[in-house]
Amino acid sequence: MWSPAPLCALGRRRPGPSAPLTCLLQREYRDKTPACQLHREYRDKTRTRLLQREYPDKIPVCLLQREYRELPGQGWGRTQQLPPRRFVSNKPKSRRNPRTFPVLDGRVPAVYRHVFEENLRNSEAVIKRYSELLERVKKGGGENAILRHTQRNKKLFVRERLRLLLDRGDFLELSPLAGLDLPYGDVPAAGCLTGIGRICGVWCVFIASDATVKGGTIYPIGVKKQLRAQEIAMENRLLSVHLVDSGGAFLPLQSELFPDKLHGGRIFYNEAIMSAMGIPQVAVVCGSCVAGGAYVPTMAEESVIIDKIGTLFLAGPPLVKAATGEDVSPEDLGGARLHSQVSGCSDHFAASEEEAYECIRNVVSTLNCAPVPEEEREPDSPLYSPEELLGLAPLHYSCSLPVKLVLSRLVDGSRFQEFKAAYGTTLVTGFGHVEGHLLGIVASNGELAHDAALKGSHFVQLCGQRGIPILFLQNTAPQPAGPASISQAEAHSNRLKAQASMMAAVACAAVPKITIVIGGCFGSDSYVMCGRSFSPNFLFLWPNARVALVDSRHFPTVPPAGDCTGEELELKQLKAKLEEESSAFYSSSRLWDDGIILPQDTRKVIAQCLEIMEQKKYQTVSPHPHPIIRM
């Protein structure tokens, strides 16, 4: 936004732009100097400052003034105002990515062609498996449950609800494979969809119950998924939207979801804390909200209930019948009119689902949440196709290619300013841009040796000092064999100290962190490279990734001493167990990450995460002694 004020009035705190220039000058110069002379002296000082700012080199000011005076049409005459200048604007300056960063050579050398092709075949196989699991999840509780939900109960499917609620465009779904193949059975998508999308241009976390899965009852994995969504909302100060259609806790598993610190009650605790933090929460009662599910909308700042569909009570009609012998309908016990007209548990009455989601969009527009300002970004695309990342996704250690080949397909223009390029080369560190966002990159390029860990510690601290987000690309290399001599033991100790230093730097870096496991995630390297226990803002896996304490493919199946058949069988069984439990699908179903992403989508997901994390810079934060409480 261009300010109409003269430049001389912009240098200091002055009255508005309509104040006479002479008044301003006389306030600056208290003597009785004639106003025309004041004009002339002030104009000359201002012109000098402008010229020196425009030309920071050492050209004499007198020459600059003479050259500027000779430019036609510049309006430097005594009676004309100086040209307007962009002074204050709420819109951030567009990022001009430096095109002087060195360009990475992303060509795959011919000597690595067979490795590339082997990786590609493996990627195609795991992506096929991933697609099959996604299709299975999208069916929710199965065809019969969906028909009962949509035909008999006249309710929309959860993904249709999100289409009505969110702005058009892609949203970032979190952990879609959570809940598959668990000891207590399949719970597709953990019984709820969570993710981040835009409402009225504002990034929001959504938690949407899927009542086709076990009637919307909450399983332990569902509690864990909701808590993770709330954690992301708190870290990034994101508005939370709950679409509640829940039958409450799944009682047969109550010992795993009720009594402990991070069990179901933590959801309500987080709601109160978020409200006190000034993070808005809104809810839609779009189905049956029973027992614990009833507290979510009543603790939200504003809630909407849908007529003839939404019901809200601690104990439903069957329990009332069992306790009192009284027959009561769900509508009379806790329907939309009761809660919007009598109890006050709901703030808005909606005649249909469509009206409810439009009402929520209107509520969001009143929350005074500023969206991320639109910026004029023209990022350069990488010089190499992201589809080639399928051939760079490592199958195992022997098939790992130089990680700079991966970076050349992620960063803008394939440009990367490397830090300490010749030191500790088994770890690659440096700066790049993704869709115009500057970030530091820490990428595994082999064994995390002593020098590499020291370099990583230094670089992470630099990013923390400069406030630059960090992207970790994790691919653990084999741990070195145990020391066989005193000198080797000393080398191991030094390596251990260096890795401990990097762990401390990563843990204490107060900047946003994104971790993507592109290969293996084993042992202590998981901690050093910002694994789940080091709380990155987001953590994703490629489908080929493996997460475990040790790599089962390097696990021995022959006893070290003797040929005991029993021990050999046990070792083989342990190896098979480790093999199963280290797959990306096993990890994602247990919420050890925020989901599996396809390698070719990595750049897009990173850009989304950076924009989501950037939104809190534009939020107005005021202290709140307590949350919003319904009276």
Side-chain angles (χ1 to χ4, degrees):
M1 180 178 181
W2 289 89
S3 171
L7 277 177
C8 59
L10 294 177
R12 302 174 184 270
R13 294 181 181 176
R14 289 286 180 265
S18 59
L21 179 61
T22 301
C23 176
L24 293 176
L25 296 173
Q26 287 175 339
R27 190 175 302 166
E28 181 73 17
Y29 298 92
R30 298 294 183 182
D31 55 12
K32 303 301 182 181
T33 309
C36 59
Q37 184 177 344
L38 293 176
H39 273 286
R40 192 160 49 250
E41 291 176 0
Y42 205 98
R43 185 199 63 216
D44 291 340
K45 289 182 179 180
T46 304
R47 182 189 307 166
T48 300
R49 287 198 302 269
L50 285 172
L51 294 173
Q52 288 175 330
R53 188 180 305 159
E54 184 75 14
Y55 297 87
D57 50 11
K58 301 301 182 181
I59 301 176
V61 173
C62 58
L63 177 60
L64 291 175
Q65 290 177 337
R66 186 162 57 248
E67 290 176 352
Y68 246 27
R69 194 179 298 119
E70 292 172 357
L71 291 175
Q74 293 296 325
W76 291 98
R78 184 175 300 173
T79 60
Q80 291 180 317
Q81 288 187 349
L82 298 178
R85 174 175 176 265
R86 191 178 225 168
F87 180 61
V88 176
S89 173
N90 292 329
K91 184 175 179 181
K93 298 177 182 178
S94 62
R95 293 180 175 84
R96 294 194 176 112
N97 299 343
R99 302 195 174 175
T100 56
F101 281 10
V103 177
L104 292 170
D105 184 359
R107 295 172 297 179
V108 180
V111 69
Y112 290 140
R113 180 54 57 180
H114 69 287
V115 176
F116 183 90
E117 292 173 355
E118 187 176 358
N119 288 341
L120 181 59
R121 287 192 295 270
N122 180 66
S123 293
E124 290 172 348
V126 293
I127 288 175
K128 181 181 178 182
R129 172 66 174 156
Y130 174 63
S131 301
E132 291 171 353
L133 291 176
L134 275 184
E135 287 301 315
R136 182 170 144 195
V137 165
K138 288 180 180 179
K139 293 178 181 178
E143 293 182 4
N144 291 337
I146 291 176
L147 286 175
R148 192 161 55 246
H149 180 85
T150 57
Q151 301 300 321
R152 190 181 76 182
N153 298 330
K154 307 300 181 184
K155 294 193 287 188
L156 297 176
F157 191 50
V158 63
R159 294 184 184 275
E160 295 173 344
R161 290 170 171 169
L162 292 175
R163 276 195 289 271
L164 291 173
L165 177 67
L166 302 175
D167 296 350
R168 291 185 179 181
D170 295 334
F171 61 83
L172 180 62
E173 185 174 352
L174 301 172
S175 305
L177 301 186
L180 293 182
D181 300 321
L182 296 179
Y184 44 78
D186 276 352
V187 187
C192 63
L193 267 67
T194 63
I196 306 171
R198 290 181 188 268
I199 300 177
C200 301
V202 179
W203 286 110
C204 307
V205 167
F206 60 82
I207 302 173
S209 306
D210 185 354
T212 69
V213 180
K214 317 291 186 183
T217 51
I218 303 173
Y219 280 70
I221 192 67
V223 170
K224 188 175 181 181
K225 188 170 181 178
Q226 292 188 45
L227 290 177
R228 174 57 184 157
Q230 288 182 317
E231 181 184 0
I232 289 173
M234 285 189 279
E235 283 180 344
N236 301 288
R237 299 194 63 84
L238 299 176
L239 158 70
S240 293
V241 181
H242 297 263
L243 307 185
V244 193
D245 190 355
S246 170
F250 184 68
L251 288 178
L253 295 173
Q254 66 89 26
S255 65
E256 299 180 42
L257 55 80
F258 167 69
D260 208 353
K261 179 180 179 180
L262 296 180
H263 284 175
R266 196 71 177 187
I267 295 173
F268 315 129
Y269 173 87
N270 285 345
E271 279 197 84
I273 295 299
M274 290 165 69
S275 182
M277 291 172 63
I279 300 174
Q281 298 156 93
V282 296
V284 182
V285 181
C286 48
S288 178
C289 293
V290 184
Y295 288 105
V296 171
T298 52
M299 293 189 70
E301 294 185 7
E302 290 192 55
S303 64
V304 183
I305 190 167
I306 304 170
D307 190 29
K308 301 294 190 297
I309 292 178
T311 54
L312 188 68
F313 32 64
L314 286 177
L319 285 178
V320 173
K321 174 71 173 177
T324 68
E326 181 183 359
D327 289 314
V328 61
S329 70
E331 194 66 23
D332 292 336
L333 185 63
R337 295 193 182 277
L338 174 75
H339 287 305
S340 57
Q341 296 176 6
V342 180
S343 73
C345 286
S346 179
D347 307 297
H348 305 278
F349 174 91
S352 65
E353 290 209 52
E354 291 80 1
E355 183 179 325
Y357 305 126
E358 186 62 34
C359 180
I360 285 293
R361 292 180 61 84
N362 291 337
V363 168
V364 170
S365 68
T366 69
L367 295 176
N368 199 23
C369 293
V372 178
E374 294 292 331
E375 296 187 15
E376 300 173 4
R377 292 197 188 101
E378 294 182 1
D380 296 328
S381 298
L383 302 180
Y384 305 93
S385 171
E387 297 294 328
E388 293 176 345
L389 289 171
L390 298 179
L392 300 175
L395 171 58
H396 45 73
Y397 300 132
S398 61
C399 294
S400 289
L401 300 178
V403 76
K404 289 182 186 178
L405 298 179
V406 174
L407 296 180
S408 67
R409 289 155 177 83
L410 295 180
V411 294
D412 294 354
S414 299
R415 296 182 180 276
F416 182 64
Q417 177 65 31
E418 191 167 0
F419 176 76
K420 288 191 174 179
Y423 181 81
T425 55
T426 56
L427 188 73
V428 172
T429 58
F431 299 99
H433 292 82
V434 174
E435 296 289 348
H437 298 272
L438 174 66
L439 74 168
I441 299 174
V442 180
S444 300
N445 199 41
E447 175 198 338
L448 190 61
H450 169 268
D451 292 352
L454 288 181
K455 176 170 83 170
S457 177
H458 185 178
F459 181 75
V460 167
Q461 291 178 78
L462 281 183
C463 292
Q465 187 84 348
R466 299 173 185 176
I468 298 173
I470 307 174
L471 170 67
F472 293 87
L473 297 182
Q474 191 178 121
N475 180 28
T476 306
Q479 297 290 331
S485 65
I486 294 178
S487 60
Q488 287 185 2
E490 184 178 354
H492 276 244
S493 298
N494 289 333
R495 179 176 179 271
L496 180 64
K497 288 190 292 184
Q499 288 193 353
S501 297
M502 187 172 174
M503 281 187 203
V506 171
C508 297
V511 293
K513 296 182 275 284
I514 303 170
T515 300
I516 299 178
V517 183
I518 65 174
C521 172
F522 301 112
S524 61
D525 282 17
S526 167
Y527 312 140
V528 179
M529 292 294 291
C530 200
R532 187 64 146 184
S533 55
F534 275 60
S535 296
N537 293 61
F538 295 95
L539 187 149
F540 299 100
L541 307 181
W542 282 1
N544 59 290
R546 291 190 168 273
V547 180
L549 187 60
V550 297
D551 186 356
S552 59
R553 292 166 296 189
H554 295 270
F555 193 77
T557 56
V558 178
D563 54 350
C564 178
T565 306
E567 288 188 18
E568 184 175 350
L569 179 61
E570 288 181 5
L571 286 173
K572 286 183 178 179
Q573 290 174 345
L574 178 57
K575 180 181 174 71
K577 186 173 186 291
L578 292 174
E579 179 76 16
E580 176 190 357
E581 294 180 353
S582 65
S583 77
F585 308 117
Y586 189 95
S587 168
S588 204
S589 70
R590 284 153 181 79
L591 278 167
W592 298 346
D593 52 72
D594 294 315
I596 294 173
I597 60 173
L598 299 180
Q600 61 267 37
D601 295 336
T602 303
R603 174 178 159 86
K604 174 184 173 183
V605 171
I606 293 170
Q608 275 185 312
C609 291
L610 290 168
E611 188 168 350
I612 289 165
M613 294 185 294
E614 189 176 6
Q615 178 170 282
K616 67 180 177 182
K617 296 179 183 178
Y618 304 98
Q619 303 303 323
T620 301
V621 181
S622 57
H624 297 266
H626 52 72
I628 300 295
I629 300 175
R630 292 182 183 276
M631 300 297 183

